[in-house]
Amino acid sequence: MVATTPSSGPDPRTPARYPWHPPGARAAHLVLDRVPLPLAGAARIYTCGITPYDVTHLGHAATFVWSDLLASVARAVEVPTVTSRNVTDVDDVLTAAAVRTHRTTDDVAVTQEFLFDRDMRDLAVARPDAAPRARAHVVQVVQLADALLRLDRAYERAGTVFFRAPADLDRAGLSEEEALAAFDEFGDRADDGREAAWDVPLWKPSDDAQPAWPSPWGWGRPAWHVECAAMAMTVFGANVDVLVGGADLAFPHHAYQAAMVEAASGTTPFARRRMHVGTVHADGAKMAKSTGNLVLVRDLLADHEGAAVRLLLLDRDWRAPWDYDASALAAAEDRLARLRAAAGRSGADDGRDRVLAALLDDLDVPAAASVAEEVGGEGARTLLSVLRLSS
Ligand SMILES: [Zn+2]
C-alpha cells in the first residue's frame, strides 16, 4: 500500500488554531479568604437565604450582593456557576410573626419574599439558579434525619430527633464562651432530652399552634440547621464550592449544616470554602430591630441609585465588619461617577486583565476600582460590568 496525500485542502500535519476562543478565557486563579480556591468546571455556590418574616436591611443585602459578585467574577473568567439561595419558610420566628400580626404564615412569607425580590432586583442581584424552599424539602429533612439515625449520628427522644454534635465541631474560631453565647442565641435549642450540651434538634414535635408534617417520629417540623443541610444536599449533593452567609451564620448554623451533611454523606468537607460576610453596624451596634437601628434597603433606594448602594456594600473588605453612615453612601456615589467617567475614556491595553486580577485576589474591589479609575477604558468598563454597576 502506498500512502496518498490529497492534492488540495489543508495540510493534515498542521494543528488547528482557534483564534475565536473566548477572549476572556483564562485560568481562574481565585484566592478566597486568603487561600487559593482553584476553580475548574462549574462553581457551586450555596448562599443561606432569608427567613421571610421581616424587611430586608443593609446587613442582609450585603451577604447577597457579595455572593452575587463571587458568581459574577467566576463567570467573567469563563467558569460556569450554579447558584442556590434558599428561603427558610418553615421557622419558629416566621410562625411567631404570623401570630403576632394575625396573619397566616403563607401570607407573611409571600409578602416578605415579594419585597425581598424587589430589593434584590433593584440592587442588580441575579436571581439564583435554584431557590429551594424549606416547605418543599420536609421530605428531604425526614430522609436526612432517618439516615443520621441509622448511622447512629442522631437519636430520638419523645418525638424529637437530636443530632449528635461531632467532637471536632468547627466553632469558627470562637472561644468556648463566645460559642456558647452564639449557641444560646441561634442554636435552635430544644428544651429537654438531649444527651450532650452541643447536640441540636433535627426534628421537633409541633403543638397545635405550629405547622406540622407527619414523620416516623410523629407530627412535627424540621429544625433550622437541618433545613439548609437538606436543601443544599438536594440541589448540589454532598458538597459545594462556596458556602456563603453573614458572619453570624458561621457558628452555629454553618458549622452544624456542614457537620450534618458530612455525617450523612461520609464526604468531607461539605464546603470547600466558607464566605462569611462582615456584619453591618449602625450607630455602633449590629443592625437589629430590637436595637432600632435598621437601615432598610428600600429607604436608601428611595433617594439613591441601586448601583450606588451596591458599590457602598462592595467597595470594602468583604470580611470586615463596618459602620453605615450617610457620608459613606455619598462617597460611593462619587466613586461611581468617577468610574463611569473613566469608562468613557480610552484606556490601557492591559486594563481588563489588571481589574480581573484584583477581583480574583480575594474579591479586592477597592483595589480593582482604583485600577479601573487609573487605567480607564476597557478596564473600567470591565469593572462596571463585573460589579453590575451599569446604569
Ligand atoms: Zn442556612
Side-chain angles (χ1 to χ4, degrees):
M1 274 247 337
V2 177
T4 55
T5 307
S7 56
S8 62
D11 182 341
R13 293 165 302 181
T14 305
R17 292 286 182 271
Y18 301 97
W20 57 88
H21 196 264
R26 66 201 68 234
H29 297 301
L30 176 68
V31 169
L32 190 63
D33 205 12
R34 304 188 175 98
V35 183
L37 182 69
L39 295 178
R44 301 153 303 161
I45 301 169
Y46 187 93
T47 305
C48 265
I50 56 161
T51 301
Y53 75 104
D54 211 343
V55 287
T56 314
H57 62 65
L58 206 55
H60 300 130
T63 296
F64 305 125
V65 166
W66 274 108
S67 76
D68 188 58
L69 179 72
L70 173 65
S72 181
V73 169
R75 278 187 230 111
V77 292
E78 305 295 330
V79 173
T81 59
V82 186
T83 58
S84 176
R85 190 182 67 216
N86 64 283
V87 177
T88 307
D89 56 1
V90 178
D91 193 296
D92 290 353
V93 296
L94 174 59
T95 308
V99 168
R100 208 167 45 241
T101 54
H102 306 287
R103 296 157 72 194
T104 64
T105 49
D106 286 352
D107 187 16
V108 175
V110 167
T111 306
Q112 292 307 328
E113 270 189 70
F114 169 79
L115 297 173
F116 172 75
D117 285 342
R118 195 177 60 171
D119 286 349
M120 292 301 104
R121 180 200 66 197
D122 290 350
L123 291 174
V125 172
R127 291 189 79 86
D129 298 307
R133 284 178 164 68
R135 179 82 67 86
H137 290 76
V138 176
V139 169
Q140 283 73 30
V141 168
V142 169
Q143 289 170 340
L144 177 52
D146 189 42
L148 292 167
L149 278 166
R150 285 164 193 273
L151 292 163
D152 196 32
R153 303 297 300 269
Y155 53 93
E156 190 223 336
R157 296 286 180 272
T160 300
V161 181
F162 289 98
F163 175 64
R164 290 186 202 283
D168 61 350
L169 185 69
D170 176 4
R171 289 191 194 144
L174 300 180
S175 69
E176 173 104 14
E177 194 183 339
E178 291 166 330
L180 273 173
F183 189 77
D184 280 344
E185 190 175 356
F186 301 112
D188 203 0
R189 302 190 76 133
D191 290 335
D192 50 57
R194 75 183 66 201
E195 288 179 1
W198 295 101
D199 294 352
V200 291
L202 296 164
W203 186 263
K204 303 189 283 192
S206 295
D207 63 24
D208 289 347
Q210 287 150 336
W213 289 261
S215 82
W217 320 289
W219 286 82
R221 64 199 191 282
W224 177 33
H225 312 312
V226 71
E227 289 178 321
C228 269
M231 286 188 275
M233 286 186 93
T234 306
V235 174
F236 289 123
N239 48 50
V240 302
D241 292 284
V242 185
L243 175 63
V244 189
D248 57 0
L249 293 185
F251 187 88
H253 184 56
H254 283 171
Y256 280 96
Q257 179 186 4
M260 288 168 187
V261 178
E262 288 167 2
S265 72
T267 306
T268 54
F270 160 62
R272 292 177 65 206
R273 195 64 41 81
R274 298 180 196 180
M275 181 176 179
H276 291 127
V277 176
T279 306
V280 184
H281 296 85
D283 307 323
K286 181 184 164 182
M287 258 179 222
K289 197 164 199 175
S290 53
T291 321
N293 63 343
L294 293 186
V295 177
L296 303 185
V297 172
R298 185 58 24 200
D299 292 344
L300 296 183
L301 290 172
D303 301 321
H304 305 276
E305 195 185 343
V309 178
R310 193 174 159 98
L311 187 57
L312 165 75
L313 296 170
L314 291 175
D315 199 0
R316 61 187 68 257
D317 177 355
W318 59 263
R319 277 166 297 250
W322 57 285
D323 246 291
Y324 168 79
D325 69 71
S327 67
L329 183 51
E333 284 180 318
D334 291 346
R335 172 86 127 171
L336 184 60
R338 293 199 303 274
L339 288 166
R340 286 176 174 162
R345 303 198 312 258
S346 59
D349 287 346
D350 63 349
R352 178 183 168 83
D353 287 347
R354 288 177 58 194
V355 164
L356 287 178
L359 291 173
L360 286 166
D361 185 8
D362 228 337
L363 306 178
D364 192 344
V365 171
S370 294
V371 169
E373 274 193 57
E374 176 200 327
V375 301
E378 186 59 22
R381 290 192 288 277
T382 297
L383 183 93
L384 291 174
S385 158
V386 177
L387 265 57
R388 298 165 65 87
L389 297 174
S390 306
S391 52

